[in-house]
Amino acid sequence: MSLFVRKQLPIIIASILGILMILAYFTTFDIFAQFKGIATSWVVIVSAVTVAMGFVYMTNAQIKMYQMNKTPLQLAYTLTTYVFFGAFMIAGLAYKGDVNSPEYQWWFQNIYGNVSATIYAVMYFTLASSAYRTFVISSIESEALVLGGMIYTLRQIPLFQVYMPWIVPLGEWFLLVPNVGGSRGAVIAAAFAALVVGIRTLWGKEVTLEVSS
Amino acid sequence: MALFVDVLGGLVGTFFIISVLSMLWKDNPIFRIGQQAIIGATMAHYILLNFKSALNNAVLPMLGGNLLLFVPLLLGVLMYTRLKNEIAWVARYPTGVLVGVGTGVMIAGTLRGQIIDQIKNTVLDLTNSAVSGNMTGIINTLLIAIGVVTAISFFTFTREHKGVLGISAKIGRIFLMISLGANWSGELVWYLTQLIGRLSWIINTVIKVMLLGG
Amino acid sequence: MSKDKPVTFWEKLGNIDYRWLYALSLVFTIIPILQPLGLPVQVSEPTIGYCDAINNLQPGSVVAVSFGSSLALLDEQEAQYLATWKILFQKHMKVIFYCTYADSALILQKHLGSKVKPEDYGYTYGEDYVWLGYAPLGEAGEASFAQNIRGVYPKDQFDTPLDEIPMMKNINDQSGIDLLIFTYTSCTDVEWPVRQWVVPYKKPTIVATLGCCGPMAAPYYPTQIQGFLSGSGMGTELEVYSGNPGPGAMMSDAKNLGILPFLLFFLLGNVSYLGKRYAGGKSKEVK
């Protein structure tokens, strides 16, 4: 297949679609709005269909992990992944109501819900222990970081709201004044960057689109 | 009186909570099993839900007469060609559609919503405060305006941060650090809430209700 | 820093075994779960804005709830959305629920009809509220929903075509919606409703998100979003402000003691740093 079909035509299609989306936004022609409605709903369908690629990549990763560490324990870990994958698929397909069935809910809430929630819980210890070492007042920037962090932390804890009532308006002030100043600046800067990357993408200049899969 | 299946679920859930928490002591097989279990579970869950969504939004309507929906279905299937090097280039077409639509939709809203409106609101807040004569409002909106300008100057990487730009970038860095501190604080309290939730589930739901019948 | 074992008092202070922090955190978190302290919560301005955005609507107004929460984050967001749903039903709003995240459909199923029962407020499914199910929307999907609801959700969660649902007969885009409530878990997602609902259609919008994402939603408040909830803390504030007690109270209560070990270690870390920096060679060896 020619280079035009393999590389350039997809970029041209991306550019045309992007420009049509922008025209739908900034013009009042109904045709563009209708096209935007169709295109955006199609994107949802494409996203839904491609999800099974994750299974392929997961299998690839599991094989690589086993190849790096060929032990019975690693094999057990890999098998665990597929056992639970199979169990959830069976629970989701075999019962009336599929993922809404009480059986699937049991699996989902007791296993997925608890493991995923606890992973976030473990992050508390990780964050707290790293803050113990690194959250020190060593420069003016770190002072600002600590001030913003600690004031807003104390503002969220009822104990300090009751026994240090001045922390409430101070914490809110930090959230709605200096935080807004910094965040808004970051939002605007990030928006400029996103605009530039977006325009480069539609222009066909964005290198990442040309990289082969 | 709790049902057997509820008690079993409670015990299974407690096992997995403790298996993940055991990682705090050191990496161990019990933690790894919990970790691998959720990888498999998440994959199955996403496949089930997304395929159901594709069925309802595309396959069934297509079979019902809306043949145009064959196009996004085909595009989705073509994405799988990236798994084979010889035909991986075909996947650029559905990728191009996703990127084009997503980028266009993003650009359209970004210019107005995140640049023009944000700058406008900063200026309007300042002028409205000045007109009203509210000293607290003037100070606050002035601080916000200074924070916005200096934070943007910090992200200017095409010139060296020297002189006026250097001072502005340093002030902007301070505002950004305050924002980062606030974000960090939100994360810390969020993770603490997650810990409270899991411990509370074990104590109040599993132990008190299911096992002790309280 | 020297790789040898810490020898000065300041170095020892900065090298306490992390597992003490872990153990103390666990103990101090469990205590208020077993014996609640019951301390009051102060309500913040963004929470008031969030609640008032709903209260200011006329009864019978249509509210779209873009529900993107996750079961993994139930503890952080449950108080927010349970209180929100109660307020919506108490104020007799017509509600369109739609799920944008894979878990969120299961949360709705678990909680809508058990923890918060629309029927208790005199609601009838299909006439007063509807649940459109799950679709992997993303920003493009939100744009599509705002423009053509049936393009993304041709049927509801129970496979009923939208044209057969009385409430949805005359609603097919944002023009039939009076308020958008956007629940999300990824911090930058706040830009999606701003770009796809607020800017093109000037739709009143409020958002509910995690604790770490609230500061990133603040720049859009109050001009582009009329209020926001950040974490379970603000969920508790909403419960208090609206008079709808829920799970947030226990969460906030347990934070009172749970945070103390962290604060202690944070102080110790800084005292250690300052001691090493300023005491320097004057520190005596501690045997």
Side-chain angles (χ1 to χ4, degrees):
Chain A
M1 276 287 175
S2 71
L3 196 67
F4 175 78
V5 173
R6 287 165 73 101
K7 279 195 170 183
Q8 289 164 348
L9 187 56
I11 294 173
I12 291 170
I13 290 172
S15 303
I16 291 171
L17 285 171
I19 290 166
L20 286 170
M21 296 298 110
I22 294 170
L23 285 171
Y25 204 90
F26 289 111
T27 67
T28 53
F29 295 116
D30 199 42
I31 183 84
F32 293 130
Q34 283 183 20
F35 185 82
K36 180 190 163 201
I38 293 170
T40 48
S41 63
W42 281 10
V43 159
V44 175
I45 296 168
V46 174
S47 305
V49 172
T50 51
V51 76
M53 288 250 290
F55 180 81
V56 177
Y57 288 128
M58 180 185 82
T59 303
N60 200 27
Q62 293 290 340
I63 291 170
K64 278 186 181 162
M65 277 180 358
Y66 181 67
Q67 281 171 345
M68 283 193 303
N69 182 22
K70 284 185 181 170
T71 60
L73 208 51
Q74 186 59 49
L75 187 62
Y77 295 151
T78 301
L79 288 174
T80 303
T81 306
Y82 290 98
V83 162
F84 279 88
F85 176 82
F88 271 70
M89 288 298 280
I90 291 168
L93 293 169
Y95 296 95
K96 188 170 183 277
D98 48 68
V99 295
N100 300 315
S101 64
E103 292 79 7
Y104 188 84
Q105 290 270 354
W106 185 95
W107 281 90
F108 195 73
Q109 284 165 29
N110 290 313
I111 297 172
Y112 177 90
N114 280 313
V115 174
S116 52
T118 313
I119 286 173
Y120 287 114
V122 164
M123 293 291 293
Y124 171 74
F125 299 103
T126 312
L127 206 64
S129 57
S130 69
Y132 166 52
R133 284 288 178 96
T134 59
F135 222 47
V136 289
I137 304 171
S138 57
S139 64
I140 193 162
E141 285 89 354
S142 64
E143 278 177 39
L145 184 72
V146 166
L147 202 64
M150 294 315 294
I151 298 282
Y152 194 55
T153 300
L154 298 180
R155 190 291 173 223
Q156 297 174 76
I157 308 296
L159 185 72
F160 296 97
Q161 291 175 7
V162 170
Y163 293 106
M164 291 165 53
W166 48 267
I167 205 75
V168 174
L170 183 63
E172 255 184 65
W173 182 82
F174 262 86
L175 177 69
L176 296 175
V177 179
N179 167 65
V180 166
S183 297
R184 196 171 272 176
V187 161
I188 294 169
F192 273 121
L195 261 184
V196 168
V197 171
I199 291 168
R200 281 172 58 89
T201 303
L202 296 185
W203 197 4
K205 294 289 184 187
E206 191 54 37
V207 175
T208 49
L209 261 190
E210 295 178 14
V211 173
S212 61
S213 45
Chain B
M1 183 74 174
L3 294 171
F4 168 73
V5 71
D6 292 334
V7 174
L8 181 64
L11 291 172
V12 166
T14 304
F15 166 77
F16 278 104
I17 290 172
I18 293 171
S19 78
V20 176
L21 285 176
S22 69
M23 190 271 273
L24 292 170
W25 189 258
K26 59 176 182 177
D27 194 7
N28 61 85
I30 305 294
F31 165 69
R32 290 296 191 99
I33 284 174
Q35 188 185 47
Q36 296 297 322
I38 196 177
I39 291 171
T42 307
M43 185 53 50
H45 183 65
Y46 270 81
I47 288 175
L48 285 168
L49 276 177
N50 280 283
F51 275 11
K52 185 182 174 189
S53 173
L55 189 73
N56 285 333
N57 287 357
V59 176
L60 293 177
M62 187 182 71
L63 295 174
N66 188 352
L67 296 175
L68 205 56
L69 288 171
F70 176 73
V71 176
L73 279 173
L74 177 65
L75 286 171
V77 169
L78 286 178
M79 191 69 98
Y80 289 87
T81 58
R82 63 182 298 158
L83 297 170
K84 199 159 173 53
N85 282 338
E86 292 81 15
I87 51 171
W89 62 268
V90 178
R92 289 204 182 104
Y93 283 87
T95 306
V97 169
L98 290 174
V99 168
V101 172
T103 304
V105 153
M106 182 273 294
I107 284 176
T110 295
L111 185 64
R112 182 74 192 270
Q114 289 179 268
I115 297 175
I116 296 173
D117 280 356
Q118 290 286 316
I119 294 171
K120 186 179 88 175
N121 292 335
T122 306
V123 173
L124 274 179
D125 287 345
L126 189 56
T127 50
N128 289 341
S129 297
V131 163
S132 71
N134 177 0
M135 193 44 89
T136 313
I138 292 171
I139 293 171
N140 287 342
T141 50
L142 191 60
L143 267 172
I144 291 173
I146 291 170
V148 170
V149 170
T150 54
I152 292 173
S153 72
F154 172 77
F155 289 107
T156 309
F157 298 122
T158 46
R159 294 185 68 172
E160 198 179 344
H161 288 177
K162 284 196 305 191
V164 174
L165 183 61
I167 296 168
S168 177
K170 194 166 173 73
I171 297 171
R173 202 155 57 220
I174 293 170
F175 276 94
L176 287 165
M177 283 294 148
I178 293 175
S179 297
L180 280 173
N183 278 314
W184 176 91
S185 151
E187 253 187 76
L188 182 77
V189 178
W190 161 31
Y191 295 147
L192 177 61
T193 306
Q194 295 285 142
L195 177 67
I196 291 166
R198 293 308 90 208
L199 293 176
S200 164
W201 187 79
I202 292 175
I203 293 169
N204 291 330
T205 308
V206 179
I207 297 175
K208 280 187 182 173
V209 175
M210 291 182 187
L211 297 179
L212 300 179
Chain C
M1 189 175 143
S2 165
K3 290 183 182 174
D4 300 328
K5 278 190 178 175
V7 289
T8 66
F9 169 74
W10 304 113
E11 283 178 345
K12 280 182 181 253
L13 206 58
N15 282 286
I16 301 171
D17 193 332
Y18 294 151
R19 286 175 288 192
W20 280 109
L21 170 61
Y22 301 162
L24 283 172
S25 294
L26 278 171
V27 168
F28 274 72
T29 304
I30 288 171
I31 291 171
I33 294 174
L34 295 171
Q35 187 60 46
L37 299 175
L39 292 174
V41 161
Q42 303 286 331
V43 182
S44 61
E45 197 187 301
T47 306
I48 295 172
Y50 182 97
C51 193
D52 287 350
I54 302 173
N55 289 336
N56 290 340
L57 293 173
Q58 296 294 319
S61 298
V62 179
V63 178
V65 178
S66 176
F67 194 63
S69 188
S70 167
L71 203 68
L73 303 167
L74 203 70
D75 304 319
E76 177 75 341
Q77 292 193 289
E78 191 180 25
Q80 295 175 351
Y81 51 76
L82 289 182
T84 300
W85 298 349
K86 287 175 188 171
I87 298 168
L88 288 172
F89 296 148
Q90 282 166 352
K91 299 292 174 186
H92 306 294
M93 302 300 163
K94 293 198 182 293
V95 189
I96 302 171
F97 292 100
Y98 64 102
C99 299
T100 59
Y101 198 69
D103 299 5
S104 45
L106 275 90
I107 298 173
L108 262 183
Q109 183 172 355
K110 185 183 168 200
H111 287 151
L112 196 67
S114 58
K115 292 195 178 184
V116 178
K117 295 181 187 173
E119 287 71 24
D120 288 349
Y121 299 86
Y123 271 54
T124 305
Y125 184 85
E127 290 178 19
D128 304 301
Y129 76 105
V130 66
W131 177 14
L132 302 185
Y134 161 75
L137 291 196
E139 182 172 4
E142 285 288 343
S144 182
F145 182 91
Q147 194 174 349
N148 177 14
I149 295 174
R150 283 157 177 75
V152 189
Y153 296 100
K155 299 178 185 177
D156 73 348
Q157 171 73 2
F158 310 105
D159 291 333
T160 307
L162 293 200
D163 290 336
E164 294 175 21
I165 298 175
M167 187 183 143
M168 296 301 296
K169 275 208 164 74
N170 296 322
I171 301 175
N172 192 42
D173 58 32
Q174 52 78 31
S175 62
I177 294 166
D178 300 299
L179 174 72
L180 172 71
I181 299 178
F182 189 74
T183 307
Y184 64 102
T185 57
S186 177
C187 293
T188 51
D189 288 2
V190 68
E191 297 161 5
W192 297 355
V194 169
R195 291 197 285 242
Q196 307 307 329
W197 286 81
V198 177
V199 171
Y201 308 115
K202 304 211 181 335
K203 194 61 56 181
T205 299
I206 52 179
V207 304
T209 184
L210 308 176
C212 62
C213 300
M216 290 175 70
Y220 301 98
Y221 169 80
T223 44
Q224 287 164 308
I225 59 174
Q226 282 68 57
F228 66 90
L229 298 180
S230 170
S232 75
M234 283 188 171
T236 311
E237 291 174 15
L238 186 65
E239 289 176 355
V240 167
Y241 186 67
S242 63
N244 289 301
M250 187 278 296
M251 292 292 181
S252 286
D253 207 53
K255 285 180 211 169
N256 289 318
L257 298 188
I259 199 75
L260 294 180
F262 159 74
L263 291 174
L264 172 67
F265 272 72
F266 163 74
L267 274 170
L268 291 177
N270 274 277
V271 167
S272 161
Y273 170 78
L274 292 170
K276 279 184 286 188
R277 185 171 164 179
Y278 293 108
K282 296 177 192 172
S283 300
K284 291 180 185 174
E285 271 194 23
V286 176
K287 291 181 187 169

